[in-house]
Amino acid sequence: MPADVSQGSDWGQLMAAAQDGQGGPYRRLLGELRHWLTGFYGRRLPPAQVEDAVQDTLIAIHDKRHTYDRARPFKPWLVAIARYKWIDRLRAMTRTHTAALDDDVAIGDHEAAVTSAAVLDQLLGELKPAQQAVIRLVKLQGYSIEEASARTGQSQSLVKVNIHRGLARMTALIERQGTAD
């Protein structure tokens, strides 16, 4: 089914379902909006800017989804957000100057680091908030147990227990995923 703006009433129903906490309709809505936004920005921005504009707009839609009024049409709400993001891009283009890079510039491959950071963030997301907080503070940011205790309000012994249990949980998740492959 084509994802054009005339589909706004269907998109409105999908957004209403998303506001009710239904993930399936929300994923479908974001997928269809991605397609529509790519065309919207493809006609208005340089090709190198299109994907960034689409991503910015999808994030804005996610952040502002609670402001959508089900009693009103979806299309004007969507177009307003897309238009504001388009204007933001145009303003940014006038402020930044680009320089052409020579073809012989060496660029390091950061794929492994990006992948590791994404996997770590996903694993931390599986933990209880208290465990996640102290692991980030102590293991990733280098705070001491005492500093983490002061920042989180947990006792020093609880900080140690939460680190131990959180790391054990992350290890179990990695092992489980390794056996599933």
Side-chain angles (χ1 to χ4, degrees), residues 142-170:
Y143 287 92
S144 68
I145 299 293
E146 296 80 18
E147 292 168 324
S149 173
R151 286 180 159 260
T152 62
Q154 300 176 32
S155 69
Q156 290 181 24
S157 59
L158 183 57
V159 168
K160 292 176 188 178
V161 167
N162 277 333
I163 289 172
H164 175 75
R165 289 181 179 167
L167 292 175
R169 171 104 170 104
M170 289 171 65

mmCIF file of all heavy atoms in Angstrom, residues 142-170:
data_model
loop_
_atom_site.group_PDB
_atom_site.id
_atom_site.type_symbol
_atom_site.label_atom_id
_atom_site.label_comp_id
_atom_site.label_asym_id
_atom_site.label_seq_id
_atom_site.Cartn_x
_atom_site.Cartn_y
_atom_site.Cartn_z
ATOM 1 N N GLY A 142 34.021 5.382 35.544
ATOM 2 C CA GLY A 142 35.191 5.386 36.412
ATOM 3 C C GLY A 142 34.994 5.936 37.813
ATOM 4 O O GLY A 142 35.967 6.246 38.494
ATOM 5 N N TYR A 143 33.763 6.073 38.263
ATOM 6 C CA TYR A 143 33.525 6.539 39.622
ATOM 7 C C TYR A 143 33.878 5.434 40.610
ATOM 8 O O TYR A 143 33.796 4.248 40.309
ATOM 9 C CB TYR A 143 32.057 6.936 39.816
ATOM 10 C CG TYR A 143 31.688 8.240 39.137
ATOM 11 C CD1 TYR A 143 31.183 8.257 37.847
ATOM 12 C CD2 TYR A 143 31.854 9.445 39.799
ATOM 13 C CE1 TYR A 143 30.845 9.445 37.222
ATOM 14 C CE2 TYR A 143 31.517 10.641 39.196
ATOM 15 C CZ TYR A 143 31.018 10.638 37.908
ATOM 16 O OH TYR A 143 30.685 11.812 37.303
ATOM 17 N N SER A 144 34.209 5.831 41.826
ATOM 18 C CA SER A 144 34.474 4.849 42.881
ATOM 19 C C SER A 144 33.137 4.356 43.437
ATOM 20 O O SER A 144 32.083 4.948 43.182
ATOM 21 C CB SER A 144 35.293 5.491 44.004
ATOM 22 O OG SER A 144 34.502 6.460 44.684
ATOM 23 N N ILE A 145 33.211 3.293 44.227
ATOM 24 C CA ILE A 145 32.012 2.765 44.882
ATOM 25 C C ILE A 145 31.400 3.853 45.767
ATOM 26 O O ILE A 145 30.176 4.041 45.783
ATOM 27 C CB ILE A 145 32.351 1.500 45.719
ATOM 28 C CG1 ILE A 145 32.899 0.382 44.829
ATOM 29 C CG2 ILE A 145 31.151 1.042 46.535
ATOM 30 C CD1 ILE A 145 31.919 -0.202 43.852
ATOM 31 N N GLU A 146 32.251 4.571 46.494
ATOM 32 C CA GLU A 146 31.768 5.628 47.385
ATOM 33 C C GLU A 146 31.055 6.742 46.604
ATOM 34 O O GLU A 146 29.998 7.215 47.012
ATOM 35 C CB GLU A 146 32.944 6.226 48.184
ATOM 36 C CG GLU A 146 33.612 5.251 49.135
ATOM 37 C CD GLU A 146 34.596 4.298 48.443
ATOM 38 O OE1 GLU A 146 35.050 4.573 47.303
ATOM 39 O OE2 GLU A 146 34.883 3.241 49.034
ATOM 40 N N GLU A 147 31.656 7.141 45.472
ATOM 41 C CA GLU A 147 31.039 8.198 44.662
ATOM 42 C C GLU A 147 29.716 7.727 44.061
ATOM 43 O O GLU A 147 28.739 8.478 44.023
ATOM 44 C CB GLU A 147 31.994 8.622 43.547
ATOM 45 C CG GLU A 147 33.244 9.335 44.048
ATOM 46 C CD GLU A 147 34.302 9.498 42.970
ATOM 47 O OE1 GLU A 147 34.457 8.595 42.117
ATOM 48 O OE2 GLU A 147 34.985 10.540 42.976
ATOM 49 N N ALA A 148 29.682 6.486 43.588
ATOM 50 C CA ALA A 148 28.438 5.942 43.034
ATOM 51 C C ALA A 148 27.368 5.864 44.109
ATOM 52 O O ALA A 148 26.192 6.137 43.846
ATOM 53 C CB ALA A 148 28.687 4.570 42.417
ATOM 54 N N SER A 149 27.772 5.507 45.318
ATOM 55 C CA SER A 149 26.838 5.441 46.438
ATOM 56 C C SER A 149 26.233 6.819 46.709
ATOM 57 O O SER A 149 25.018 6.956 46.882
ATOM 58 C CB SER A 149 27.558 4.918 47.682
ATOM 59 O OG SER A 149 26.730 5.003 48.811
ATOM 60 N N ALA A 150 27.082 7.836 46.719
ATOM 61 C CA ALA A 150 26.607 9.199 46.977
ATOM 62 C C ALA A 150 25.696 9.691 45.861
ATOM 63 O O ALA A 150 24.689 10.356 46.111
ATOM 64 C CB ALA A 150 27.803 10.140 47.131
ATOM 65 N N ARG A 151 26.022 9.351 44.618
ATOM 66 C CA ARG A 151 25.226 9.823 43.477
ATOM 67 C C ARG A 151 23.866 9.133 43.380
ATOM 68 O O ARG A 151 22.903 9.730 42.929
ATOM 69 C CB ARG A 151 25.993 9.633 42.172
ATOM 70 C CG ARG A 151 27.104 10.612 41.998
ATOM 71 C CD ARG A 151 27.818 10.356 40.665
ATOM 72 N NE ARG A 151 28.519 11.554 40.274
ATOM 73 C CZ ARG A 151 28.078 12.431 39.373
ATOM 74 N NH1 ARG A 151 26.966 12.227 38.748
ATOM 75 N NH2 ARG A 151 28.776 13.506 39.088
ATOM 76 N N THR A 152 23.816 7.854 43.739
ATOM 77 C CA THR A 152 22.574 7.095 43.565
ATOM 78 C C THR A 152 21.740 6.983 44.829
ATOM 79 O O THR A 152 20.577 6.598 44.760
ATOM 80 C CB THR A 152 22.870 5.663 43.074
ATOM 81 O OG1 THR A 152 23.655 4.978 44.055
ATOM 82 C CG2 THR A 152 23.579 5.685 41.727
ATOM 83 N N GLY A 153 22.344 7.256 45.984
ATOM 84 C CA GLY A 153 21.617 7.111 47.241
ATOM 85 C C GLY A 153 21.596 5.673 47.740
ATOM 86 O O GLY A 153 20.929 5.368 48.723
ATOM 87 N N GLN A 154 22.305 4.777 47.059
ATOM 88 C CA GLN A 154 22.397 3.382 47.492
ATOM 89 C C GLN A 154 23.567 3.269 48.471
ATOM 90 O O GLN A 154 24.551 3.990 48.360
ATOM 91 C CB GLN A 154 22.662 2.455 46.300
ATOM 92 C CG GLN A 154 21.597 2.483 45.226
ATOM 93 C CD GLN A 154 21.987 1.618 44.029
ATOM 94 O OE1 GLN A 154 22.664 0.607 44.170
ATOM 95 N NE2 GLN A 154 21.551 2.036 42.844
ATOM 96 N N SER A 155 23.456 2.341 49.408
ATOM 97 C CA SER A 155 24.577 2.108 50.305
ATOM 98 C C SER A 155 25.729 1.525 49.498
ATOM 99 O O SER A 155 25.531 0.987 48.405
ATOM 100 C CB SER A 155 24.181 1.150 51.428
ATOM 101 O OG SER A 155 23.970 -0.154 50.902
ATOM 102 N N GLN A 156 26.940 1.613 50.052
ATOM 103 C CA GLN A 156 28.101 1.097 49.343
ATOM 104 C C GLN A 156 27.983 -0.402 49.100
ATOM 105 O O GLN A 156 28.323 -0.894 48.024
ATOM 106 C CB GLN A 156 29.385 1.407 50.119
ATOM 107 C CG GLN A 156 29.719 2.887 50.101
ATOM 108 C CD GLN A 156 31.002 3.205 50.836
ATOM 109 O OE1 GLN A 156 31.864 2.347 50.974
ATOM 110 N NE2 GLN A 156 31.133 4.440 51.292
ATOM 111 N N SER A 157 27.465 -1.118 50.084
ATOM 112 C CA SER A 157 27.315 -2.564 49.891
ATOM 113 C C SER A 157 26.256 -2.861 48.826
ATOM 114 O O SER A 157 26.414 -3.790 48.037
ATOM 115 C CB SER A 157 26.984 -3.263 51.210
ATOM 116 O OG SER A 157 25.799 -2.745 51.759
ATOM 117 N N LEU A 158 25.184 -2.064 48.768
ATOM 118 C CA LEU A 158 24.163 -2.273 47.745
ATOM 119 C C LEU A 158 24.715 -1.961 46.360
ATOM 120 O O LEU A 158 24.381 -2.644 45.390
ATOM 121 C CB LEU A 158 22.917 -1.424 48.029
ATOM 122 C CG LEU A 158 21.745 -1.620 47.065
ATOM 123 C CD1 LEU A 158 21.307 -3.083 47.018
ATOM 124 C CD2 LEU A 158 20.585 -0.717 47.459
ATOM 125 N N VAL A 159 25.579 -0.950 46.265
ATOM 126 C CA VAL A 159 26.222 -0.638 44.994
ATOM 127 C C VAL A 159 27.009 -1.854 44.509
ATOM 128 O O VAL A 159 26.903 -2.273 43.355
ATOM 129 C CB VAL A 159 27.135 0.601 45.104
ATOM 130 C CG1 VAL A 159 28.023 0.746 43.868
ATOM 131 C CG2 VAL A 159 26.310 1.863 45.305
ATOM 132 N N LYS A 160 27.788 -2.461 45.407
ATOM 133 C CA LYS A 160 28.586 -3.637 45.046
ATOM 134 C C LYS A 160 27.697 -4.800 44.631
ATOM 135 O O LYS A 160 27.974 -5.487 43.645
ATOM 136 C CB LYS A 160 29.465 -4.055 46.226
ATOM 137 C CG LYS A 160 30.562 -3.067 46.542
ATOM 138 C CD LYS A 160 31.330 -3.515 47.784
ATOM 139 C CE LYS A 160 32.311 -2.466 48.237
ATOM 140 N NZ LYS A 160 33.016 -2.863 49.465
ATOM 141 N N VAL A 161 26.610 -5.024 45.373
ATOM 142 C CA VAL A 161 25.686 -6.117 45.053
ATOM 143 C C VAL A 161 25.035 -5.869 43.690
ATOM 144 O O VAL A 161 24.941 -6.774 42.861
ATOM 145 C CB VAL A 161 24.614 -6.279 46.160
ATOM 146 C CG1 VAL A 161 23.479 -7.180 45.710
ATOM 147 C CG2 VAL A 161 25.250 -6.811 47.437
ATOM 148 N N ASN A 162 24.598 -4.644 43.442
ATOM 149 C CA ASN A 162 23.951 -4.326 42.163
ATOM 150 C C ASN A 162 24.920 -4.462 40.992
ATOM 151 O O ASN A 162 24.539 -4.915 39.911
ATOM 152 C CB ASN A 162 23.334 -2.927 42.197
ATOM 153 C CG ASN A 162 21.970 -2.936 42.839
ATOM 154 O OD1 ASN A 162 21.270 -3.946 42.823
ATOM 155 N ND2 ASN A 162 21.580 -1.812 43.416
ATOM 156 N N ILE A 163 26.179 -4.095 41.189
ATOM 157 C CA ILE A 163 27.172 -4.281 40.126
ATOM 158 C C ILE A 163 27.349 -5.773 39.858
ATOM 159 O O ILE A 163 27.311 -6.225 38.706
ATOM 160 C CB ILE A 163 28.515 -3.622 40.496
ATOM 161 C CG1 ILE A 163 28.380 -2.101 40.454
ATOM 162 C CG2 ILE A 163 29.621 -4.085 39.542
ATOM 163 C CD1 ILE A 163 29.586 -1.360 40.997
ATOM 164 N N HIS A 164 27.540 -6.540 40.920
ATOM 165 C CA HIS A 164 27.754 -7.980 40.769
ATOM 166 C C HIS A 164 26.561 -8.648 40.078
ATOM 167 O O HIS A 164 26.721 -9.400 39.117
ATOM 168 C CB HIS A 164 28.000 -8.616 42.136
ATOM 169 C CG HIS A 164 28.113 -10.112 42.084
ATOM 170 N ND1 HIS A 164 29.235 -10.748 41.604
ATOM 171 C CD2 HIS A 164 27.231 -11.082 42.426
ATOM 172 C CE1 HIS A 164 29.036 -12.059 41.656
ATOM 173 N NE2 HIS A 164 27.832 -12.287 42.148
ATOM 174 N N ARG A 165 25.360 -8.365 40.557
ATOM 175 C CA ARG A 165 24.166 -8.987 39.970
ATOM 176 C C ARG A 165 23.928 -8.509 38.542
ATOM 177 O O ARG A 165 23.517 -9.281 37.677
ATOM 178 C CB ARG A 165 22.947 -8.706 40.839
ATOM 179 C CG ARG A 165 22.982 -9.474 42.143
ATOM 180 C CD ARG A 165 21.771 -9.201 42.987
ATOM 181 N NE ARG A 165 21.830 -9.965 44.230
ATOM 182 C CZ ARG A 165 21.035 -9.748 45.267
ATOM 183 N NH1 ARG A 165 20.111 -8.810 45.214
ATOM 184 N NH2 ARG A 165 21.167 -10.474 46.357
ATOM 185 N N GLY A 166 24.159 -7.233 38.290
ATOM 186 C CA GLY A 166 23.968 -6.703 36.938
ATOM 187 C C GLY A 166 24.929 -7.323 35.943
ATOM 188 O O GLY A 166 24.545 -7.704 34.836
ATOM 189 N N LEU A 167 26.203 -7.436 36.336
ATOM 190 C CA LEU A 167 27.189 -8.048 35.444
ATOM 191 C C LEU A 167 26.886 -9.529 35.220
ATOM 192 O O LEU A 167 27.046 -10.039 34.111
ATOM 193 C CB LEU A 167 28.601 -7.858 35.996
ATOM 194 C CG LEU A 167 29.131 -6.414 35.991
ATOM 195 C CD1 LEU A 167 30.487 -6.344 36.668
ATOM 196 C CD2 LEU A 167 29.179 -5.846 34.590
ATOM 197 N N ALA A 168 26.420 -10.207 36.279
ATOM 198 C CA ALA A 168 26.047 -11.613 36.133
ATOM 199 C C ALA A 168 24.873 -11.755 35.168
ATOM 200 O O ALA A 168 24.845 -12.657 34.317
ATOM 201 C CB ALA A 168 25.708 -12.215 37.497
ATOM 202 N N ARG A 169 23.908 -10.867 35.266
ATOM 203 C CA ARG A 169 22.744 -10.901 34.362
ATOM 204 C C ARG A 169 23.171 -10.643 32.923
ATOM 205 O O ARG A 169 22.712 -11.307 31.996
ATOM 206 C CB ARG A 169 21.709 -9.871 34.813
ATOM 207 C CG ARG A 169 20.564 -9.648 33.844
ATOM 208 C CD ARG A 169 19.308 -10.319 34.297
ATOM 209 N NE ARG A 169 18.183 -9.899 33.470
ATOM 210 C CZ ARG A 169 17.663 -10.674 32.525
ATOM 211 N NH1 ARG A 169 18.120 -11.878 32.325
ATOM 212 N NH2 ARG A 169 16.650 -10.236 31.803
ATOM 213 N N MET A 170 24.075 -9.684 32.723
ATOM 214 C CA MET A 170 24.556 -9.376 31.376
ATOM 215 C C MET A 170 25.308 -10.576 30.796
ATOM 216 O O MET A 170 25.141 -10.910 29.618
ATOM 217 C CB MET A 170 25.451 -8.134 31.403
ATOM 218 C CG MET A 170 24.687 -6.847 31.668
ATOM 219 S SD MET A 170 25.737 -5.404 31.961
ATOM 220 C CE MET A 170 26.541 -5.219 30.400
#
